[in-house]
Amino acid sequence: MDDEVQQPEEEAGQGILLLFGRQLKLFRERAGMTRAELGAATGYSASTLASFEQGRRIPPGEFIDRVDEVVGAGGVLGAAKEDVGRAQYPAHFRDAALLEAKAVEVHVYGTQAMPGLLQTQEYGRAVFAMWLPPLDEDRIQERLAARLARQAIFTRRPAPHLSFVIEESVLLRPLGGKTVCRGQLEHLLLIEENRNVEIQVMPLSRQEHAGLAGPFSLMEMQDGRRIAYAEVQRNSRVHTERERVRELERTYGTLRAQALTPAESRALIEKLLGER
């Protein structure tokens, strides 16, 4: 996707980046610093600072924290960190990404590709390289960095409860090639070792299947709110209405009952790994 031609769904995120960039430039100039000087103080090149100020690149959170201190912004730049961070996601996923990062429970049903939270860097790159309409290299890098950043949920404390039901076809589909898929299966086994994570595989042999309507995620927040997220062909919706969420919770419960147990799923993943 060309940076010069923004799709409508990207305009809101781009506006946030442009606003942050203008504020960054104003605080830098008020501090009497050139881009080179600010870059030296924050560990970034002058050209990268120019991209941040012009809204062409998404500044990482650690940069925002550091630059707020260096230019004496008094928390003004830091206050925009969450909104800037959301801009790195596709518009249809921004609200869900914010909720996911704060959830105490996340449950995911994956059907076409490995769920983003479980993807390796190589697998994620392969997925974004297949995106239509095609993404340019800068956008692929941004989306990949955002996807990998979501995986901080695995090291969060207190640890959230995470569960996944993944179609066996996802494990068999060789996205990215043999080496990438082997690395992805190895990664699943490592992730599954976490005591707060359960991974189940829905085998192709099942004659009854509750998930034919497509993939979705369930989240529970610290305050007890239960939320669902469903996405098909970039048409997505965050559901907060209790009836709809309860319906998907029932579906997920049935999926877990129909899928292989975590131990059986691990054995299947190990078997597939041995065949590659």
Side-chain angles (χ1 to χ4, degrees), residues 25-34 37-38 70-73:
K25 182 178 180 180
L26 287 171
F27 278 111
R28 174 179 62 78
E29 291 177 341
R30 192 185 72 169
M33 302 179 75
T34 65
E37 290 170 338
L38 182 57
V70 170
V71 301

Side-chain angles (χ1 to χ4, degrees), residues 156-169:
R156 239 176 55 197
R157 295 294 180 270
H161 176 57
L162 308 171
S163 76
F164 303 85
V165 175
I166 307 168
E167 289 292 328
E168 183 180 357
S169 58

Side-chain angles (χ1 to χ4, degrees), residues 182-198:
R182 181 175 179 82
Q184 180 62 66
L185 292 177
E186 291 173 342
H187 183 64
L188 282 184
L189 294 176
L190 289 174
I191 291 294
E192 190 265 345
E193 290 178 358
N194 291 293
R195 296 175 61 186
N196 62 313
V197 179
E198 292 182 326

